[in-house]
Amino acid sequence: MTNLRIEETILSNLLNDEEYSRKATPFLADEYFSEKAERTLLSEINGFFTKYNKLATKEVLRVQLAQRTDLTENDLATSLEIVERLSVDTPPNKEWLLEQTEKFCKEKSVYNAILRSIKIIDGKDKELNKEL
């Protein structure tokens, strides 16, 4: 049995539910996804949705990923494995999914802000320092 994470549930529903995609896409940032493969998939899904105003499919993702020149063989393989795990079944309850997505975005935003604050304190942030 696979260990399904909220990230994969979000990605699956970005492929299956146009209403969810329209509501969630503006709030989903690449930086909220800890895995490079998931960030890559989010970028491809959002790019397709923005350009064509339609949901991407698994086949679209497979082709788009294969055409990318910035992925290592391992990155490509990992991304394709995730694509295969993405569900095309009936989406979960929309209210629950939107609530979980909002919670995910808030938690990741706070987490990223804390990490950036630590970098600033340690003097490792290239844009900001403790003096600003």
Side-chain angles (χ1 to χ4, degrees):
M1 173 154 237
T2 61
N3 182 16
L4 187 63
R5 300 167 43 238
I6 187 66
E7 290 89 336
E8 288 187 24
T9 300
I10 290 169
L11 292 171
S12 289
N13 283 278
L14 289 173
L15 295 180
N16 294 306
D17 188 333
E18 187 171 341
E19 180 183 352
Y20 169 75
S21 293
R22 292 194 186 287
K23 289 180 179 179
T25 296
F27 303 102
L28 291 169
D30 293 352
E31 65 193 35
Y32 296 165
F33 291 78
S34 57
E35 304 289 328
K36 180 179 181 181
E38 292 168 344
R39 289 191 303 270
T40 301
L41 289 171
L42 180 66
S43 174
E44 289 296 336
I45 291 167
N46 285 345
F48 186 89
F49 190 69
T50 300
K51 183 172 183 176
Y52 298 104
N53 200 29
K54 301 275 185 212
L55 299 178
T57 63
K58 285 184 171 187
E59 188 59 31
V60 165
L61 291 178
R62 288 183 201 108
V63 171
Q64 291 295 107
L65 290 169
Q67 291 176 352
R68 288 183 68 139
T69 58
D70 63 331
L71 300 177
T72 65
E73 285 185 36
N74 188 46
D75 291 340
L76 176 60
T78 303
S79 296
L80 290 172
E81 285 174 18
I82 293 172
V83 168
E84 295 313 310
R85 289 197 309 257
L86 296 180
S87 173
V88 291
D89 296 333
T90 305
N93 175 281
K94 286 182 187 177
E95 185 177 331
W96 173 86
L97 182 58
L98 285 169
E99 181 180 291
Q100 293 301 309
T101 302
E102 182 179 349
K103 179 181 172 189
F104 168 78
C105 290
K106 285 178 181 178
E107 287 173 358
K108 291 298 182 170
S109 181
V110 168
Y111 176 79
N112 289 344
I114 291 169
L115 286 182
R116 182 142 194 221
S117 297
I118 292 169
K119 282 184 178 180
I120 292 168
I121 291 169
D122 289 344
K124 295 179 182 177
D125 191 288
K126 295 177 183 175
E127 297 173 16
L128 298 173
N129 61 49
K130 293 187 283 188
E131 305 303 319
L132 294 178

